[in-house]
Amino acid sequence: TAGGPRVAVFSPSAGPGRTLRLASTTVVVDDVYALTGTTHLSRRGLSFDSSFACAVFDEVLDGGRPREVRQFRRQLVAERLGLPVSLVPNDPADLVAAIKKVVKRAGGRIAPFVLAAAELPVTDTDKDVWNRDGAKIPATFNLMEWFSLLAADVQSEVAAVLNPPAP
């Protein structure tokens, strides 16, 4: 109640020891329209399921094509394939042709290997934040103190990852 109607504390659907899976869909149509979010591109996904997505278009043209949507598409493809943006074709049709060539060379897959899931330890802070069943309800709750403690714990975890002890 201290935070009023503008603050909500929630637990993700995964609990201690479980991985949280977040999925999103991104579609770019002719570098004119882009949609990205949790919406699935099906009749059900576009009309009945709960989802959150952002759709954008750009009226600023560069060479007859919307500039920002094209840059978004090129950056997205470059990051997913681990390439510099300069190697991603500027023209959407050229990109489709290039991807078809890569898939054909790789025997039907762009990445011929499966990425292993990261093995991350579950910390006490993680368990406190998840609080899946809501059983740990404090007698009093100071939102700012909770954020401060959480930020300090996250900061120490990040520092431990970035600066591991020497072997």
Side-chain angles (χ1 to χ4, degrees):
T1 59
R6 296 178 55 133
V7 176
V9 178
F10 67 97
S11 298
S13 58
R18 299 184 195 157
T19 59
L20 177 63
R21 181 179 181 272
L22 298 175
S24 65
T25 299
T26 299
V27 62
V28 178
V29 179
D30 293 333
D31 285 350
V32 174
Y33 169 87
L35 173 98
T36 188
T38 59
T39 300
H40 293 283
L41 297 178
S42 65
R43 181 172 180 259
R44 178 181 168 152
L46 291 169
S47 54
F48 300 110
D49 290 345
S50 297
S51 65
F52 184 75
C54 176
V56 295
F57 67 95
D58 182 14
E59 294 177 339
V60 178
L61 301 181
D62 180 15
R65 314 281 302 167
R67 181 179 56 214
E68 296 298 324
V69 176
R70 183 182 62 230
Q71 288 175 345
F72 169 75
R73 186 248 315 152
R74 293 181 74 211
Q75 185 68 42
L76 178 70
V77 170
E79 288 177 7
R80 295 303 182 268
L81 296 178
L83 299 170
V85 175
S86 60
L87 291 180
V88 177
N90 201 33
D91 183 71
D94 292 343
L95 174 63
V96 171
I99 289 175
K100 286 181 178 182
K101 285 181 184 177
V102 170
V103 169
K104 188 175 182 179
R105 273 191 228 142
R109 297 184 68 160
I110 291 179
F113 58 88
V114 176
L115 297 175
E119 292 293 328
L120 300 174
V122 177
T123 65
D124 289 336
T125 303
D126 294 334
K127 293 175 185 176
D128 289 342
V129 170
W130 288 331
N131 187 18
R132 186 165 173 79
D133 66 356
K136 295 181 185 176
I137 300 173
T140 61
F141 183 73
N142 181 328
L143 182 65
M144 294 312 294
E145 180 183 348
W146 183 75
F147 277 129
S148 296
L149 292 171
L150 181 62
D153 285 344
V154 169
Q155 189 174 22
S156 66
E157 288 179 22
V158 167
V161 170
L162 295 177
N163 304 308

